[in-house]
Amino acid sequence: MWTSQKMNARSRGWCMSILTLFLLLLNTSVKSASEIDPYKVLGVTKSSSQAEIKKMYKQLAKEWHPDKNKNPEAEDMFIKITKSYEVLSNEEKRANYDRYGQIDENQQFSQQQQGYRHFHNGFYFDEAFFHFPFNNKGSRDPADSKYALHYNQYVNEVVPDSFRRPYLIKITSDWCFSCIHIEPVWKETVQELEALGVGIGVVDVGYERRLANQLGAHRTPSILGVINGKVTFFHYAVVREHLKQFVEDLLPQRLVEKVTDRNDLQFLNSWHELNKPHVLLFDQVSAVPLLFKLTAFAYKEYVEFGYVDQGLSETANLLKQFNINTYAPTMLVFKENTDKPADIIQAKGMKKQIIDEFISNNKFLLAPRLVNQKLFDELCPVKQFHRRRKYCVLLITGEEESFTPGNKAFLSLASSNTKEVLRFTYVYQRQQQSLCEALLKTRDSTPPQVVILERRNAAGKVLYKHVMGGWNGSEEDKQKLLEELEVLQKDPSILNYDATLPELNNELASMFLIQWIYTAYDYLTQIGEDLLHNNWREMMPLLSLLFSALFILFGTVIIQAFSDSGEDKESKPKAKDAAKTENGSPDPASTSSRPPKKNFVEVTELTDITYTSNLVKLRPGHINVVLVLTDSSKNILLSKFAKEVYSFTGSLTLHFSFLNVDKHSEWMEALLEVAPEALRADGDDDEASHRMDYTGYVLALNGHKKYLCLFRPVYTGEDPDAKSSEEEGGAGGGRSRSGSREDQHPRKAVTRSRSTSTLQIHHKLDRLGLWMERLMEGTLPRYYIPAWPSLEKITANK
């Protein structure tokens, strides 16, 4: 009896050992199968489109095909490439791998089955017997399980990807009866929006409380959208049309421009300024399709998008010019040539995959300009393998018109390029000085120059070679460059120079202010929407930040105001003591406000030497404020002019000059002859008598746009110093009567006449400060002229 029990125990032990070994082998095979990372094998990222994945698969399949590659590992590598493409080309398999990290679908099925059946202390328990539609995680709707999100996945994948496409997320939980009511509408909407490229997510509050708090979702069911990392809640009835409109409202308003016969040239010709290709979609519906808006958002950094409504009469010329078929949507992409599209697709049912492939193949111009480091990394990637070499043909040129012929010749050569290993680009030396200095340190740095380079690592190391003789765009230069490229294909060692390039300047940084204004507008819109729906819990952090900023701002202003008043009180006694003269009368200079940081204003004389630089070739947006004076009034008017314009010297677009009318009166007359309405603007009847007296006039001259604004002096007669003098004279009347009138009368008459004329000249610029404020506001009338008169002649002294 004991022997039989022992044998049974041994047999059970052997069976358990065999079963354990079998499970270990099975687990090992599962791990080995899941060790393949299809993204790493194909060299793509999780945000890559199907077009990019397909392109990389074709390149790798050609490179590692066993019939062409004699490497012993070529066959295994080719199998991995094929298997990886099978997973990533299928959206369902790709989503399964992204969520579970598994390639084999059977592994996911076996894991899901483990949620239904468990062994508890030797007793078999089947949860399917107690199945409810909302009772546990294992029995959750398979559609929701497909889109389930956890915290790390949201932070590391959804938020970065929300800068390329919007996400629609549902917040649900167990025992949520309202969730069951919206489920049919949710499924129908998800099926439609996912095909358009919208990201979908489901968060179970019972299992992902941390993520729910991160999103600010405190009730179920809730629906929210995520775009550019910002969360927006859905507040309307759960209807398919409302959800689609909600997703469309998440997108920025300025993604797609409506194009007609009036603005088509302006839209297409902006390729040089924006450094982007332009895409036009022709369709018969009046509203821009949501699929096109989503595509525009995904590729907003690379391409400008426009929409043409075929039903409008204002688009008839466009339809005729490009021979558009009105029965099917048509998409055209334009690059440097705005008369002929670089590529075209036309289909009745345009799918997202087709559009993505079309845009991905036309993301860049034929010869784009390097404006930042990110664009440089994409156009000229770092060398990875010998067969993936990329060579950049870089033209170092300038923005002036003298470089235009050479730039056009370089573009013509780039448009005829058909080799994928070559990429033609150019830079402006003035915008990228550090880059040009690193490449031209061994040669004459005078552009234009052509450099062929290959990037070796991400730290900036490159191998390069100059094309001898520079670049003028002649046929000889083209032939010389083509010969160099032919030799490079056979012998890469001709790149005999090496350098470490600095990071490129971001030429688009000036657009930061505009982007900040758009972002502020979106946030203000969100605040208004939250106020409308009384969503106070989500608004509390934003309101707290807003009130904190206002408190700091007003606190700083109040403290500064008190400190300024204290400084003024301390400086007043010192100013009064210093301003007294020998007879005890106050100095007129003591009536001025706080002393300026600089005690001068830079005013240059407008002569025939400075005339061109200060007016004719003045930079766009800059204005030269010119004071008209004479030899006798020069010192008085310049002093008054400096005081009036001092508060405006902080503007970088204002320049200050003076014109001596004794030398250049003919220029003033010639200027006002071509702009006679400037003198007739005030409608003075006595204009003829004062036509030749230009003393005290101030001209605001815009040299680029050829217009002027005119300040005409107005004598106010207000002089506090004169009043004080009269008061002092009245107080000392007895003393003046004691003297001899015959001796004092001639001297007083001369003094009074001189002071009166000086006073009138001094007060001619009393209203100049107000006029300058209107000039900065842009509310002054502008008088345009056809051309600036010459300043070469000097008026003869009479």
Side-chain angles (χ1 to χ4, degrees), residues 169-185:
I169 299 177
K170 181 181 70 171
I171 310 298
T172 184
S173 65
D174 295 341
W175 301 96
C176 175
F177 293 95
S178 300
C179 300
I180 302 174
H181 295 303
I182 69 172
E183 196 64 29
V185 179

Side-chain angles (χ1 to χ4, degrees), residues 49-50 105 125 129 151 201 217 357 375 379 427 543 565 580 604 624 706 710-711 736 753 784:
S49 63
Q50 288 292 339
E105 296 179 355
F125 178 72
F129 183 75
Y151 181 81
E357 184 175 359
L375 185 60
L379 292 174
V427 294
L543 290 175
S565 62
K580 288 183 179 179
T604 59
N624 195 351
K706 295 185 178 62
L710 180 65
F711 169 81
S736 62
S753 62
Y784 289 85

